[in-house]
């Protein structure tokens, strides 16, 4: 068990550094790393992706609190936009987590693999939406939040990859978009974790110790280290060629996505 916790602490350290260095959500790194770790531990194949997604969501609760507080202190969060998004986010993420709980692990792996391709292409081509409209009303923003929540739950992320482009498209500055997306990550993580706990509560064969689809050793190891190393990653960002590193990381995402698709289709 000690070896298990050490493995997940190392994973958390890597995830925290990459998140701080490249400005990416932890789930983007944690989910594929958990896949590899669970395979190494001989987890049942039918549970691997579900547990990876549920555990990733649970870790995001703590990282999003830290990130949200940092942005709040700088007054960068657009709270009216946050409160408009929140109801749809909570509903959509819970629905997405329950939906994922009912889907086969092969489908979830393939979905995540194609999502990694999407993120990699955005990084390589530096694709950013043009700010050509204002934020919609309560109904429109809630609908957008629902869509972001469903998708985030299916891939186990805090939603920044989707929320930032949406807010930028709605004429928010990049600084405000990133800060508000960080705040939105908290309701996504809370609702998504609840969905994965409920969805996996009575499922037989999940390796323990666990609560639903949240694997406790991975959860504890990751949050212990990622919250410590994320500031280090942010500090390194000021001294390393981040743009070049992002391109390298994008290629790595393509390789990881291809590996996940390979395990499904080959």
């Amino acid at each position: 068990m000690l070896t298990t916790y050490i493995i997940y602490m190392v994973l958390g350290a890597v995830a925290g550094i990459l998140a701080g260095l490249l400005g990416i959500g932890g789930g983007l790194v944690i989910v594929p790393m958990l896949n590899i770790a669970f395979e190494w531990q001989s987890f049942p194949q039918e549970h691997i992706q579900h547990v990876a997604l549920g555990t990733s969501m649970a870790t995001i609760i703590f990282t999003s609190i830290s990130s949200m507080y940092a942005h709040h202190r700088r007054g960068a969060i657009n709270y009216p936009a946050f409160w408009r998004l929140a109801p749809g986010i909570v509903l959509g993420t819970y629905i997405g987590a329950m939906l994922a709980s009912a889907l086969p692990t092969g489908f979830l792996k393939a979905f995540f693999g194609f999502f990694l391709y999407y993120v990699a292409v955005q990084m390589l081509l530096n694709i950013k939406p043009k700010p050509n409209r204002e934020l919609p009303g309560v109904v429109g923003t809630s609908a957008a939040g629902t869509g972001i929540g469903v998708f985030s739950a299916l891939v186990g992320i805090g939603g920044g990859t989707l929320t930032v482009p949406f807010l930028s498209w709605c004429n928010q500055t990049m600084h405000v978009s990133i800060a508000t997306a960080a705040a939105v990550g908290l309701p996504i993580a809370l609702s998504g974790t609840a969905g994965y706990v409920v969805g996996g509560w009575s499922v037989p064969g999940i390796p323990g110790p666990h609560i639903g689809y949240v694997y406790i050793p991975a959860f504890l190891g990751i949050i212990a280290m990622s919250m410590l190393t994320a500031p280090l990653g942010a500090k390194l960002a000021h001294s390393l060629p981040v743009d070049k590193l992002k391109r390298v990381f994008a290629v790595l995402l393509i390789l990881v996505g291809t590996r996940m698709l390979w395990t499904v289709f080959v």
Side-chain angles (χ1 to χ4, degrees), residues 141-156:
T141 309
S142 293
T146 301
I148 291 170
V150 169
F151 199 97
S152 297
L154 289 173
V155 291

Side-chain angles (χ1 to χ4, degrees), residues 92-213:
T93 312
Y94 188 82
I95 291 172
M98 295 301 290
L99 175 62
S101 299
L103 289 170
T105 198
F107 175 88
L108 293 172
K109 278 190 173 184
F111 192 81
F112 191 87
F114 286 119
F115 174 69
L116 290 182
Y117 283 171
Y118 160 76
V119 176
V121 169
Q122 278 202 322
M123 281 187 170
L124 287 171
L125 302 181
N126 197 26
I127 298 173
K128 295 178 181 177
K130 295 181 179 179
N132 56 12
R133 61 157 299 150
E134 297 299 318
L135 275 168
V138 175
V139 175
T141 309
S142 293
T146 301
I148 291 170
V150 169
F151 199 97
S152 297
L154 289 173
V155 291
I157 63 171
T161 308
L162 306 171
T163 310
V164 171
F166 170 72
L167 292 173
S168 298
W169 179 53
C170 294
N171 224 17
Q172 303 296 299
T173 66
M174 185 56 65
H175 186 63
V176 170
S177 296
I178 291 171
T180 307
V184 165
L186 181 56
I188 285 178
L190 289 169
S191 183
T193 300
Y196 278 110
V197 167
V198 173
W201 190 260
S202 59
V203 175
I206 301 174
H210 67 95
I211 302 175
Y213 281 125

Side-chain angles (χ1 to χ4, degrees), residues 1 24 29 37 44 46 51 68 71 109 122 156 196 218 223 228 238:
M1 183 59 71
I24 60 170
V29 178
E46 65 270 22
V51 178
M68 182 180 181
H71 287 294
K109 278 190 173 184
Q122 278 202 322
Y196 278 110
I223 63 170
L228 291 175
H238 295 285

